[in-house]
Amino acid sequence: MAAPVTGRSQFLYIFVYYFIFLVGWQKGVIFVNLYLRERSDYLYRLSKLFNYSLNRQMKQDMKFAQKSNEIFDDATRLYHVSDDVDAVVENPYKAGSVEHTLFAKNWIDAVQWHLEDIIRDPEIDPVAALALKRRIDRSNQDRTDMVEELDSFFREKYKDVTVAADARFNTESPAWALDRLSILALKIYHMQAEVNREGEASSEHIAKCRAKLDVLLQQRADLTQAIDELLDDIAAGRKYMRVYRQMKMYNDPETNPVLYGAAASK
């Protein structure tokens, strides 16, 4: 249990924040932790309380795409604990929150990633492959629905922004850019796994995958910055959103001629 913040500890608490403000949070945190760990257990418990508060503040200061990366990475790692396309996960975020949707979105992406692996097995039973293909189709629809749910969140969030007369729009909505960010989390995870196959895969394979991993990491950094800049522009009225619903026709029995043709022939 963390020690209560009394007069003496409150003074230390304020001093620590002021020190970090002067030297920068990275150097400050390292120095303060080293110092406090050498002191009494009481001060060490105080350092843990300080770290908890600082981590909360850092998360609050993170921009939306940066936070999304953390959620996507956490969901990807959690999927690979069981590495089972039928595993049931307990979403750690509050139902109805945007974080809940982001986590669920990446979980669906992770499951579908592995469904796509399974269906490419050259020895797969044709009946099982057909069932798997239909499952992938349903998964794609669920992914699309979640992206559109995220775009609805952004439309609601920025609905009262005064748009500048010379404001521009993007061909891609924020949510579809986040969709690419979620897939990048999976690509990076699996490419890192390939890099870690030393002693199992050839050195040429490792080197090739390491080069690809570098590109993926740069791509994620660039896309993260671009999304956050886009959201900043939307919030400031420099850009505005146009959301084009996907309107997938092949899943709709009223727009797929095979489906409505089959229904009419009955």
Side-chain angles (χ1 to χ4, degrees):
M1 187 179 213
V5 183
T6 59
R8 180 175 66 137
S9 58
Q10 187 176 18
F11 169 77
L12 285 171
Y13 205 60
I14 295 171
F15 170 77
V16 163
Y17 270 107
Y18 182 67
F19 176 77
I20 287 177
F21 174 77
L22 290 178
V23 303
W25 72 267
Q26 289 177 311
K27 291 181 180 178
V29 168
I30 294 171
F31 177 84
V32 169
N33 274 314
L34 289 174
Y35 174 76
L36 292 179
R37 284 171 187 261
E38 295 298 322
R39 311 299 295 179
S40 67
D41 182 61
Y42 167 77
L43 287 178
Y44 177 58
R45 291 199 304 272
L46 180 62
S47 77
K48 291 178 69 176
L49 179 64
F50 157 74
N51 279 334
Y52 171 75
S53 177
L54 182 64
N55 286 336
R56 284 189 61 187
Q57 184 60 46
M58 287 170 59
K59 285 182 180 294
Q60 290 172 359
D61 292 342
M62 290 173 69
K63 290 183 174 289
F64 192 92
Q66 292 173 324
K67 289 181 182 178
S68 298
N69 278 330
E70 281 202 348
I71 294 171
F72 294 153
D73 284 344
D74 287 345
T76 295
R77 283 192 294 267
L78 184 57
Y79 171 85
H80 288 91
V81 171
S82 63
D83 203 5
D84 180 359
V85 294
D86 296 314
V88 178
V89 64
E90 182 177 347
N91 194 312
Y93 297 97
K94 182 180 178 181
S97 68
V98 67
E99 291 85 2
H100 188 280
T101 303
L102 289 167
F103 183 93
K105 169 70 174 65
N106 182 264
W107 184 271
I108 287 180
D109 290 341
V111 170
Q112 186 165 330
W113 177 288
H114 292 85
L115 292 176
E116 297 282 5
D117 282 347
I118 295 168
I119 203 170
R120 284 165 174 77
D121 180 356
E123 302 299 324
I124 192 171
D125 175 72
V127 175
L130 177 59
L132 205 54
K133 174 62 172 69
R134 288 178 174 167
R135 181 175 175 180
I136 290 170
D137 284 345
R138 291 193 300 271
S139 177
N140 269 324
Q141 188 62 58
D142 290 341
R143 292 178 61 240
T144 298
D145 292 345
M146 283 194 175
V147 172
E148 293 183 349
E149 181 182 335
L150 287 170
D151 266 335
S152 295
F153 163 80
F154 290 122
R155 285 175 67 90
E156 178 65 23
K157 181 176 181 179
Y158 298 118
K159 67 179 181 180
D160 296 326
V161 171
T162 301
V163 179
D166 59 347
R168 297 164 292 147
F169 67 91
N170 270 36
T171 58
E172 183 177 53
S173 69
W176 280 108
L178 286 166
D179 173 69
R180 291 196 286 135
L181 205 58
S182 176
I183 301 301
L184 272 171
L186 286 157
K187 287 183 177 180
I188 288 168
Y189 181 93
H190 288 95
M191 195 62 71
Q192 182 65 63
E194 292 301 310
V195 170
N196 293 343
R197 290 178 60 200
E198 293 185 9
E200 177 186 349
S202 68
S203 57
E204 291 81 8
H205 175 81
I206 301 295
K208 188 182 298 183
C209 290
R210 184 174 287 112
K212 290 180 179 180
L213 179 60
D214 290 341
V215 173
L216 289 170
L217 290 170
Q218 184 60 57
Q219 185 180 359
R220 178 163 70 173
D222 293 344
L223 182 57
T224 299
Q225 180 180 342
I227 293 171
D228 283 329
E229 288 177 354
L230 172 60
L231 293 174
D232 286 345
D233 284 341
I234 293 172
R238 294 186 293 268
K239 289 188 177 180
Y240 60 94
M241 292 177 58
R242 280 188 179 170
V243 176
Y244 305 100
R245 303 300 182 186
Q246 292 301 297
M247 304 180 193
K248 290 184 179 292
M249 301 177 70
Y250 53 77
N251 286 334
D252 189 340
E254 295 184 357
T255 57
N256 182 330
V258 173
L259 297 180
Y260 64 67
S265 64
K266 288 182 180 179

